[in-house]
Amino acid sequence: MTLETAILSLDNPAFSAYVLAASIMLLKLLLQPWMTVYRMMKVRAGFRSPEDAKKSPINPNPEPGQLEPNEYVERSRRMNLNDLESIPAFLVAGLLFVLMDPPLVLAQLLIWLYVIARAAHFIAYATGQLHDIRATLWSVSSVSVLVMVVYTLVRVLIG
Amino acid sequence: MTLETAILSLDNPAFSAYVLAASIMLLKLLLQPWMTVYRMMKVRAGFRSPEDAKKSPINPNPEPGQLEPNEYVERSRRMNLNDLESIPAFLVAGLLFVLMDPPLVLAQLLIWLYVIARAAHFIAYATGQLHDIRATLWSVSSVSVLVMVVYTLVRVLIG
Amino acid sequence: MTLETAILSLDNPAFSAYVLAASIMLLKLLLQPWMTVYRMMKVRAGFRSPEDAKKSPINPNPEPGQLEPNEYVERSRRMNLNDLESIPAFLVAGLLFVLMDPPLVLAQLLIWLYVIARAAHFIAYATGQLHDIRATLWSVSSVSVLVMVVYTLVRVLIG
């Protein structure tokens, strides 16, 4: 069995943890826009494209103001943008980090710290908790990915 | 030949389909900002940074209002943001899905369903079709990636 | 040693260059939001969520207008959005490109051209240089990734 066979196989517990965490975070990334859709449909507002205010099966009774920003909808869009700033970076950084064959306990710690911090950040953001709480959780998630990247950088520089 | 050699080789038809589809979607992701640039240059408006309204070779005759949002330009920016919400997720989800060695016909179905739905979504968005049409095509693309992720999640959990 | 062992190993100079460049670009992607945070804290403005204007340890003296867009903060947000349009595409395109086992000199040229162009783009954007300078640097970075994608596309189509 070659090194890479071991690394990119579910028999490798670090890769397995990464694939599990990556799948959960991909679900989060993919489902957030559905939350925006749900909110737009619920309040029949917060649309963005002019054609979305036209009469159609999903907008049977157009009203003025449907294209205005709506905080209930905008919150979900900001959460989506926050995901875009964080999750793709984690997905790639995590894969490269695992390819560096890090100590298993470090890999599991950083990967699950990220997932837990992002889950808590989601709850804090959705329920409008104080900036301090959201910022702290966001910082934990950011630092956990930064450590993965620095580990990878050191490995490729020092060998 | 090891497992990984087979999986990450163009001799593996699932990986080959993924690389072809990923390259097409990367082109889409990379070319959408060029459409925004084209539209900004055509209408000489829709700029975002204060310095973009200064006199320069690409803006020889500055006019007031060049920093105001311009729907023709904003449409391309919304299309770009929609790409950012979808394509990076597909790129990573597709790679992890192919690494799980799924049935070839399922892999090809999900991968091409995604590409076709996104191509149709692009046309619907660019031409301002009804929200219902755009939303349906977006949903198909989202669900096809969600199925890849759920398949990966089940594989890593059940083995 | 199998093909993939060679390709996804730091012993492969093309993969090694990719991992080094990817790590640098991941740092850029992850640190840009920290620049936004720094700027928000410095001017105590440019917040986006209603709850961010509440009294709290990081906002001890709330003032009206803290939720209004603030150009100093918005510039960092636009730089972040620009990163989101470019860096994830580079990270995936670069990995697939390296998996195609390209000529080493071509790989190194395109990878470092991208990193240098993005570094210069960052400086031009942060210091508000003329649109022409920023646009030129952005174009160089975009074209270098496009070449990687076209190379990958040709390899998968022609074999």
Side-chain angles (χ1 to χ4, degrees):
Chain A
M1 189 184 273
T2 64
L3 185 64
E4 263 59 46
T5 305
I7 286 183
L8 292 183
S9 156
L10 293 179
D11 296 336
N12 170 10
F15 181 67
S16 183
Y18 165 74
V19 174
L20 181 54
S23 298
I24 292 167
M25 297 316 299
L26 278 163
L27 284 181
K28 172 64 178 72
L29 183 59
L30 290 161
L31 292 176
Q32 189 63 48
W34 287 97
M35 183 166 158
T36 305
V37 168
Y38 170 80
R39 291 186 165 204
M40 278 197 294
M41 293 301 109
K42 192 172 164 192
V43 298
R44 306 190 151 283
F47 300 145
R48 269 193 174 166
S49 289
E51 62 269 25
D52 299 357
K54 287 185 188 169
K55 188 178 171 68
S56 78
I58 57 173
N59 193 25
N61 301 304
E63 288 166 39
Q66 287 189 310
L67 296 173
E68 301 293 312
N70 175 290
E71 170 57 19
Y72 181 61
V73 177
E74 288 304 311
R75 178 173 296 274
S76 183
R77 286 216 176 91
R78 289 196 302 274
M79 291 167 74
N80 200 172
L81 192 56
N82 196 285
D83 281 353
L84 298 185
E85 288 172 13
S86 173
I87 299 177
F90 162 73
L91 294 172
V92 176
L95 182 62
L96 297 183
F97 173 63
V98 165
L99 279 170
M100 295 303 109
D101 204 14
L104 178 58
V105 68
L106 179 66
Q108 289 173 331
L109 178 74
L110 293 173
I111 287 170
W112 294 115
L113 193 63
Y114 177 79
V115 174
I116 291 165
R118 288 300 296 181
H121 178 269
F122 166 74
I123 295 166
Y125 214 153
T127 60
Q129 299 302 312
L130 271 189
H131 194 179
D132 307 52
I133 295 171
R134 202 179 81 230
T136 303
L137 294 166
W138 176 84
S139 300
V140 171
S141 70
S142 181
V143 168
S144 71
V145 183
L146 280 166
V147 174
M148 293 181 204
V149 175
V150 169
Y151 182 95
T152 304
L153 198 57
V154 170
R155 270 296 308 277
V156 74
L157 286 175
I158 296 181
Chain B
M1 190 184 274
T2 65
L3 186 64
E4 264 59 46
T5 305
I7 285 182
L8 291 182
S9 153
L10 292 180
D11 295 337
N12 171 9
F15 181 66
S16 182
Y18 165 74
V19 174
L20 181 54
S23 299
I24 293 168
M25 297 316 300
L26 278 163
L27 284 181
K28 172 64 177 73
L29 183 60
L30 290 162
L31 291 177
Q32 189 64 47
W34 286 97
M35 184 166 155
T36 305
V37 167
Y38 170 80
R39 291 186 166 203
M40 278 197 294
M41 292 303 109
K42 191 172 164 191
V43 298
R44 307 190 149 281
F47 300 146
R48 270 191 175 168
S49 289
E51 63 268 26
D52 300 355
K54 286 185 188 169
K55 188 178 172 68
S56 79
I58 58 172
N59 192 25
N61 302 303
E63 289 166 40
Q66 287 189 311
L67 297 173
E68 300 294 312
N70 176 290
E71 169 57 18
Y72 180 62
V73 176
E74 287 303 311
R75 178 172 297 273
S76 182
R77 286 214 176 91
R78 289 197 303 273
M79 292 168 72
N80 201 172
L81 192 55
N82 196 286
D83 281 353
L84 298 185
E85 289 171 14
S86 172
I87 297 177
F90 162 73
L91 293 172
V92 177
L95 182 62
L96 297 183
F97 173 63
V98 164
L99 279 171
M100 295 302 109
D101 204 13
L104 177 58
V105 68
L106 180 66
Q108 289 174 330
L109 179 73
L110 294 172
I111 287 169
W112 294 115
L113 193 62
Y114 177 79
V115 174
I116 292 166
R118 288 300 297 182
H121 179 268
F122 165 73
I123 295 167
Y125 215 153
T127 59
Q129 299 302 313
L130 272 189
H131 194 179
D132 306 52
I133 294 172
R134 202 179 80 229
T136 303
L137 293 166
W138 175 84
S139 301
V140 171
S141 71
S142 181
V143 169
S144 70
V145 183
L146 280 166
V147 174
M148 292 181 205
V149 175
V150 170
Y151 183 95
T152 304
L153 198 57
V154 169
R155 271 296 309 278
V156 74
L157 286 174
I158 296 182
Chain C
M1 188 183 274
T2 65
L3 186 63
E4 264 59 45
T5 306
I7 285 182
L8 291 183
S9 155
L10 292 180
D11 296 336
N12 171 8
F15 181 66
S16 183
Y18 165 74
V19 174
L20 181 55
S23 299
I24 293 167
M25 296 317 300
L26 278 162
L27 284 181
K28 170 65 178 72
L29 183 59
L30 290 161
L31 292 176
Q32 189 64 46
W34 287 97
M35 183 166 157
T36 305
V37 168
Y38 170 80
R39 290 185 166 205
M40 279 196 295
M41 293 302 108
K42 191 171 166 192
V43 298
R44 306 190 152 281
F47 299 147
R48 268 193 176 168
S49 289
E51 63 268 25
D52 300 357
K54 288 184 187 169
K55 188 177 170 70
S56 80
I58 57 174
N59 192 25
N61 300 303
E63 289 166 39
Q66 286 188 311
L67 296 173
E68 300 293 312
N70 175 291
E71 169 58 19
Y72 181 62
V73 177
E74 288 304 311
R75 178 173 297 275
S76 184
R77 287 216 176 92
R78 288 197 302 274
M79 290 168 73
N80 200 173
L81 192 56
N82 196 286
D83 280 354
L84 298 184
E85 289 172 12
S86 172
I87 298 176
F90 162 73
L91 294 171
V92 177
L95 182 61
L96 297 183
F97 173 63
V98 165
L99 279 170
M100 296 302 108
D101 204 13
L104 177 59
V105 68
L106 179 66
Q108 289 174 331
L109 178 75
L110 294 173
I111 287 170
W112 294 114
L113 193 62
Y114 177 79
V115 174
I116 292 165
R118 288 300 297 182
H121 178 268
F122 166 73
I123 295 166
Y125 214 154
T127 59
Q129 299 302 312
L130 271 190
H131 194 179
D132 308 52
I133 294 171
R134 202 179 81 230
T136 302
L137 294 165
W138 177 85
S139 300
V140 171
S141 70
S142 180
V143 168
S144 72
V145 183
L146 279 166
V147 173
M148 292 181 205
V149 175
V150 169
Y151 182 95
T152 304
L153 197 57
V154 169
R155 270 296 308 277
V156 74
L157 286 175
I158 296 183

